[in-house]
Amino acid sequence: MDGNNKIVVRKIYKLKILTQQQGIKMGKEEVNRRKYLQIAGATIGGVLIGAAAGWYGKPREVLEKMVTETVERTVTKTVTTTAPPVTPTLTPTPTPTPTPELIASWYKKAAEPYGGTTIKVLAQGWEPNYYLRDVVGPKFTDITGITIDWELTSNELVMEKEMLDMEKGTGIYACTYDDQDMVGTWIKKGWVYDLTEFMGGHPELVDPWLDLDDIWSIPYCSDPRGHVLTIPCEYYPKTYVYRTDLFEDPTEKSNFKAKYGYDLKKPTYYDECLDAAEFFTRPDKDLYGFVGGCGAKTHEALGFDFFESWFPTHGAQSVGLEPYGKPVLPWGINVETWGASMARGGMLDSPQAVKAIEDFLTLGVKDAPPGVEMMIYVEAAEQVAAGRVAQTVTYTQFLSTFANPEVSKIAGKFKCDLPPVDREYWKPGMALAYADISGYCIPLHSKHPEAAWLWMQFAVSPLNELERAKTINTTVRTSVLMDPALNAVDAKFGGVFSLLRDPEKAKLYVGTPTEIGEYAALLYIYYTVLGKAVAGELTPEECAKELASTIDEKFHEWGYW
């Protein structure tokens, strides 16, 4: 088919969030927070684990078959992708009293032309989307008459399927839910709607309470002009999580001090983290000192664990937080020279990168539970919930699982804080941790962009956002993050809301640089090369050199220099 084709709290929007109902109607039954967590906990190990080997791990014809087999009818219309040349108003003036009834009535009226429409949504199968599917989605359908056909799959298959759908123009998906990592690709490829222009062309479909200034991660989801490409729907920073029943136990503290000469506490530096990991690694008691948030399998997860966590916390980047350092991004890549090696201004073969690989091999492999080489983020989180691990650096989307006593042995026994950094190489003013931002975009060939747009806004509407934060500890809105109603559940989730409310800590969390326009291809290089170090085929020094030189060669091949 042919077609025409910083993290900072910006401002606290003074919108009063009214108390939400405890139960949400879903068909003939009430789904409350307790029942939702039972469902999510029981399914965490299922859909999340994708069998895909990655975008470059399958023959292209196989991937195309996977996508095109989903098409239910032949597309014959031509899609015009040029948005109306208008200047939109991004932040509509809110109606003075945004009661739940008023918000619902607005959506009902706005959706009248699209009642009876079914939109197909592609998204990663994990807790945030289970919640949207099971709780928020049915509510949206009840109000608007728009049905959502969910396709939940692994993170890597989301990337593969959406990219093929967009490239081929098949229009299978009305909207896709993916990591903010892909925004740089959308900027380069031009495959998704410019939502700023879309709002300008459809003012009647812009929720009066959308208020983009209240969504603090919007800058990471925008192009260089400030035009929005993705609506954030999830914010799960990658944080350090530790067992308070171990770290605060008087006997453990006494024994640790006797062995290492200083007090056992939440580590600020990796040398302290390494000591704690060694101390708590007790295979005879089925206890291990550490597990990486993404395990150690040669899989996409290994790649993004390094450029999200290990390289930046070891200082393989430039100083800067507006919103991240340049010219060397937290990925270790220099965006002025488009080089990864030190010879080309990058840092992926630097002493900092080598130290990051060394520390990972100790913490993430040696001091981790057996079989970690076959684990990704899901299985790693399961080890934490099972009480087999003393500390980790993981996505806070798993905190609601850790906090659920029906599926977790550490409920009420953990806290989260900033990840440790390298004492020698990390410098103040550098990014420290990864902000895992995900949200919705609309492919240019979407058959139902208007209906999809209504759903995207509804997903983060004040009608739903406070209750969602209470249930699965995520919000994208400053007004909800600062709402006193979250104080009562903050400790349950390890203090994550207090962590994000602290502006000095919150600014250290950064998303994927939007300069990265070859995300999938670079990810493949990171994880395949780093996997050789895990397997013992390369030393840390050899791994760093091969990673840097391979990426240098690719940038040259792609015409960056």
Side-chain angles (χ1 to χ4, degrees), residues 35 53 141 157 340 355 362 419:
K35 179 167 184 181
T141 298
L157 275 176
K355 184 70 184 317
T362 301

Side-chain angles (χ1 to χ4, degrees), residues 481-500:
L481 175 64
M482 305 304 290
D483 196 305
L486 295 184
N487 295 347
V489 296
D490 189 36
K492 171 184 174 182
F493 296 129
V496 67
F497 296 126
S498 294
L499 175 65
L500 295 179

Side-chain angles (χ1 to χ4, degrees), residues 237-418:
K238 210 169 181 181
T239 61
Y240 174 78
V241 177
Y242 64 104
R243 294 264 302 276
T244 54
D245 60 324
L246 296 176
F247 276 77
E248 297 175 5
D249 179 85
T251 300
E252 300 287 7
K253 290 173 73 72
S254 176
N255 291 342
F256 182 90
K257 188 166 186 177
K259 182 174 182 178
Y260 296 98
Y262 64 94
D263 291 331
L264 175 64
K265 60 182 177 63
K266 177 263 166 187
T268 300
Y269 300 105
Y270 272 111
D271 56 329
E272 298 168 336
C273 186
L274 286 158
D275 286 346
E278 179 184 65
F279 179 72
F280 285 118
T281 296
R282 304 165 188 174
D284 59 323
K285 298 183 181 300
D286 197 29
L287 178 65
Y288 298 89
F290 192 89
V291 69
C294 294
K297 185 177 181 179
T298 301
H299 175 278
E300 280 93 339
L302 179 64
F304 49 70
D305 201 22
F306 265 85
F307 54 66
E308 291 172 356
S309 297
W310 296 95
F311 287 145
T313 54
H314 284 80
Q317 58 174 318
S318 294
V319 173
L321 290 168
E322 295 293 334
Y324 39 76
K326 296 179 185 178
V328 182
L329 303 177
W331 285 45
I333 293 171
N334 188 314
V335 292
E336 291 181 355
T337 63
W338 289 106
S341 66
M342 293 180 69
R344 287 201 52 78
M347 297 186 70
L348 286 183
D349 56 357
S350 65
Q352 291 91 326
V354 173
K355 184 70 184 317
I357 298 169
E358 290 173 345
D359 283 351
F360 173 79
L361 293 176
T362 301
L363 289 168
V365 180
K366 174 179 172 289
D367 294 331
V372 70
E373 294 90 346
M374 296 305 295
M375 297 179 192
I376 60 171
Y377 38 84
V378 181
E379 296 93 340
E382 288 173 345
Q383 301 300 307
V384 179
R388 301 184 72 205
V389 176
Q391 49 181 347
T392 186
V393 175
T394 191
Y395 304 100
T396 52
Q397 82 97 8
F398 293 118
L399 296 184
S400 57
T401 299
F402 300 161
N404 181 3
E406 297 186 18
V407 296
S408 171
K409 292 184 179 180
I410 66 167
K413 303 174 184 177
F414 70 91
K415 289 181 181 177
C416 60
D417 209 328
L418 293 175

